[in-house]
Every structure is written in C-alpha cells, then in structure tokens.
Amino acid sequence: MGTNGLFHVIDTRQFDRPMLDHLCRLATHVRTLAKSKAGAQSLQALAPDRRAMLYFTQPSTRTFLSFNSACHILGMRTSEIRNPSISSEVKGETFEDSIRTFSSYADVIIMRTPEGGKAARAAEIMNAIPRPVPVINAGSGPDQHPTQALLDIYTLERSFEQRGGIDGRTIAMMGDLRRGRTVRSLSYLMKNYKDVRLRFVAPPGFEIKRDILDHLDAHGIEHQSASRLDDILDGLDALYVTRLQKEYDERNESESADYAPYSIGPEQLRRFPSDAIIMHPLPRGPELAPGIDNDPRVMYWRQERNGMWMRAALLAAIFDLDSGLDME
Ligand code: NCD
C-alpha cells in the first residue's frame, strides 16, 4: 500500500477531498510531462517493472484504451482478457481462482464486469491471500464506475479553474439515472465539495435511486429532481448527460421510454447558459446530437483525454510513485 493509503479502488465513497485534490494535481503533472520527450521518458521510467492485468468481460472502448494507455505512459506492461469464452472460465474455473491466478502474473488487476459487486468481491479475495495486489473497479454492472467519476471530477475542476473549482457549482445530471453507474459514482463524490447543488432530470421510471438520495441527504447536499430540462437551466454550471442503459433491461423497459425530452442538440443549446459546460461519459446514443460537438461548452472529448491522465495518476498513487513525479 502507498503512503497515501490507496490500494483497492472499488467505490467512490472511499475518497476524501485531500486525496481528490492530490489526484487532480498528479493528473495535471502527468499531462504536462507527457507533452515533452524528456518528460514522457521520465514517466516511462517510473514503473517499468510493474504489470497490469486488464480483465474486461463487459464491452468497453474508452475505459479499456485509456487504462491501457495510462499503464504504458508509466512504462508498465499489460496483459488482457476481454473474452471469458477463451479463458479457463469455460472449463468451470471459479471467479475466486481466476482472480488469484491474475495476481500471480500482475501487480494490479483492473476489471470491468456486467454484474454488480464483482470488483468488491475480487478485493475481498485479494485481502484473504498472502500477497494481494490492488483491484481497480473499471465498471461493475449498474452499481459503480469510480475511475470515470475521478476523471469527471478532474474535468469539472479544470473547467471551473477560473471560477474557484467545483465548490459552489450547480450540476445537473440527465438521463437514465437509475442504472447509470457513472452518475451514481459521481454523486457520491459531491460530499467532498462545498455548497454544491445537484439537479436530476430523468424520464419517469428511470429516476435516481433512493440510496443515492439518502447519501446526499445524510451529507446535507442540496438536490432537486425535475422532469424537464428547461426547468433546471437557470444558474446551471454543468450538465452531465447519459444514455439509456438498455443492456440492464429486465422487462424491455427501454422500449417504452420517451427519451427525446432528455436529449441535447443545437436547439436546446440556444437556451443553455453561455458559460455552462456539457459532459457525457460516452458512448452516446441519440440523446447527444453530433451537431453540438464543436461548441466550446462541450467537454466530452476532453473527458476522454482526462481519463487517461487521471488513470495514470491513480496508478502512480497506488504504487506510491508520487514522489518520483517531482511534485512541487
Ligand atoms: C460508461 C460506462 O461504461 O458506464 N462509459 C464509459 O466508461 N465511458 C457510460 C455508458 O456506458 O453509458
């Protein structure tokens, strides 16, 4: 475990403000260094002896590629399993044995699964063996996606640098909030910021779950729910748009959802505050019109890049390489 106490990364409730600020500073440092040849070489020299196992049994483009790139930025080597049908799972190997096996070859396990709770279970398995390696949750079913929330925080901090950061901001989240794990993980992090106001806009039946609202209430975070985008635009600093999470349907409920009012395109943008930003974890569905992609308020392409810097920062912090990053 690093001197900062970071080992497994499972759920955003484990982060406090000093750690979030530290990771944002570290991400900026990695980003700056990576842009020069000498800086990139010094980053590569940080962890050439470390190996990462990327175990992704649920589809992924950005999270997989950005973790892969983050590892390579730090000079790490990577192995991957993306298709369980060609691993020993088809021979009936248990999850417990597979995870323990990964730790024989890797110094960190980065994993994404379609089921909830699996990363937490992998961390428990690790904690019960003599030489555990850290487990990073890269998305566990509909419950948590902590590293997405970290890159979202980094994007918000960068966007509001001139306005004092995230403290005091009004942030709206729109879409399938019931099953969107990115919104759930990001909402948990808001307890670390002062005077943040949250606004939730969701189609009927897809509202944010009670456990998140209870968490916000327990931490005194102001929040309101609305059914129309126009009702929450006034004084808004950021809108976080999400897609309909059809893959978690139990009874084809997405089929009957009217998602059109939860979309954003050139027309909605005309009524949007001139200094508010638009975020989306991607991939997009029809809720995000490509026609707005080049608007200066759009941050989703920057989120993708920030994911790589933040994940490199996170790995550096887990492996206690922060001092080697020459933090001023
Ligand atoms: C998100 C995810 O996988 O939860 N994507 C991502 O990691 N950038 C969002 C989504 O799939 O809707």
Side-chain angles (χ1 to χ4, degrees):
M1 188 181 301
T3 47
N4 49 42
L6 203 56
F7 195 67
H8 302 303
V9 175
I10 304 300
D11 180 317
T12 42
R13 279 171 289 190
Q14 73 188 83
F15 291 101
D16 60 13
R17 179 70 183 263
M19 177 58 79
L20 293 168
D21 289 347
H22 177 61
L23 289 171
C24 286
R25 273 197 307 274
L26 216 50
T28 294
H29 216 68
V30 172
R31 177 165 58 93
T32 313
L33 280 172
K35 287 185 178 153
S36 76
K37 195 164 176 206
Q41 278 168 350
S42 68
L43 285 169
Q44 293 236 324
L46 281 178
D49 49 344
R50 309 275 186 173
R51 300 153 303 171
M53 173 71 206
L54 293 151
Y55 176 59
F56 276 57
T57 59
Q58 189 188 36
S60 173
T61 300
R62 269 153 292 273
T63 307
F64 179 84
L65 288 176
S66 66
F67 260 121
N68 205 44
S69 304
C71 290
H72 297 162
I73 285 171
L74 301 178
M76 295 172 66
R77 281 169 292 149
T78 50
S79 312
E80 64 191 63
I81 289 183
R82 300 198 67 178
N83 178 356
S85 75
I86 54 164
S87 79
S88 283
E89 281 178 52
V90 282
K91 298 182 194 165
E93 183 163 65
T94 60
F95 181 67
E96 284 71 12
D97 286 357
S98 298
I99 293 297
R100 188 162 183 172
T101 300
F102 299 155
S103 74
S104 299
Y105 307 119
D107 302 294
V108 58
I109 299 169
I110 302 166
M111 59 182 284
R112 165 175 287 201
T113 58
E115 310 89 5
K118 271 289 185 61
R121 176 75 197 116
E124 272 171 28
I125 295 165
M126 281 298 113
N127 291 341
I129 68 169
R131 276 195 306 277
V133 304
V135 174
I136 303 180
N137 181 1
S140 49
D143 65 15
Q144 284 280 314
H145 193 354
T147 63
Q148 175 74 41
L150 293 175
L151 78 88
D152 291 337
I153 286 291
Y154 185 46
T155 304
L156 287 161
E157 285 285 22
R158 282 188 70 193
S159 302
F160 300 126
E161 225 161 15
Q162 312 301 328
R163 285 187 257 170
I166 298 175
D167 294 329
R169 302 276 75 83
T170 299
I171 302 168
M173 313 210 190
M174 179 168 82
D176 183 350
L177 307 183
R178 184 162 69 88
R179 304 175 297 180
R181 58 192 175 190
T182 64
V183 160
R184 294 174 54 76
S185 286
L186 185 57
S187 298
Y188 279 149
L189 284 181
M190 290 304 156
K191 73 165 198 294
N192 295 294
Y193 298 90
K194 285 199 252 358
D195 305 322
V196 167
R197 286 171 299 275
L198 294 180
R199 297 172 179 174
F200 299 113
V201 194
F206 296 88
E207 293 92 352
I208 192 127
K209 283 194 192 160
R210 192 68 245 170
D211 60 338
I212 300 290
L213 297 178
D214 287 346
H215 173 89
L216 297 174
D217 289 338
H219 290 92
I221 298 161
E222 201 182 309
H223 60 89
Q224 77 179 78
S225 294
S227 53
R228 283 163 23 105
L229 175 62
D230 279 349
D231 296 339
I232 54 98
L233 287 181
D234 196 33
L236 193 66
D237 294 302
L239 175 68
Y240 193 99
V241 187
T242 63
R243 75 181 167 89
L244 193 54
Q245 307 278 311
K246 289 193 190 90
E247 64 271 42
Y248 299 115
D249 274 4
E250 283 164 6
R251 297 170 306 278
N252 278 335
E253 51 270 45
S254 300
E255 298 294 307
S256 49
D258 179 12
Y259 219 63
Y262 308 92
S263 307
I264 180 149
E267 196 208 310
Q268 289 79 2
L269 219 55
R270 276 195 285 279
R271 300 194 294 277
F272 210 71
S274 60
D275 57 355
I277 62 164
I278 298 156
M279 297 170 69
H280 192 300
L282 301 176
R284 72 170 118 205
E287 74 285 348
L288 194 59
I292 65 169
D293 281 3
N294 295 325
D295 190 285
R297 291 166 288 188
V298 156
M299 289 298 148
Y300 31 88
W301 306 115
R302 185 174 283 186
Q303 277 171 274
E304 289 192 331
R305 298 277 295 170
N306 284 343
M308 181 171 68
W309 310 129
M310 179 47 92
R311 286 169 173 132
L314 186 68
L315 287 161
I318 289 173
F319 290 135
D320 215 4
L321 306 168
D322 329 17
S323 51
L325 268 171
D326 187 34
M327 302 281 289
E328 60 274 8

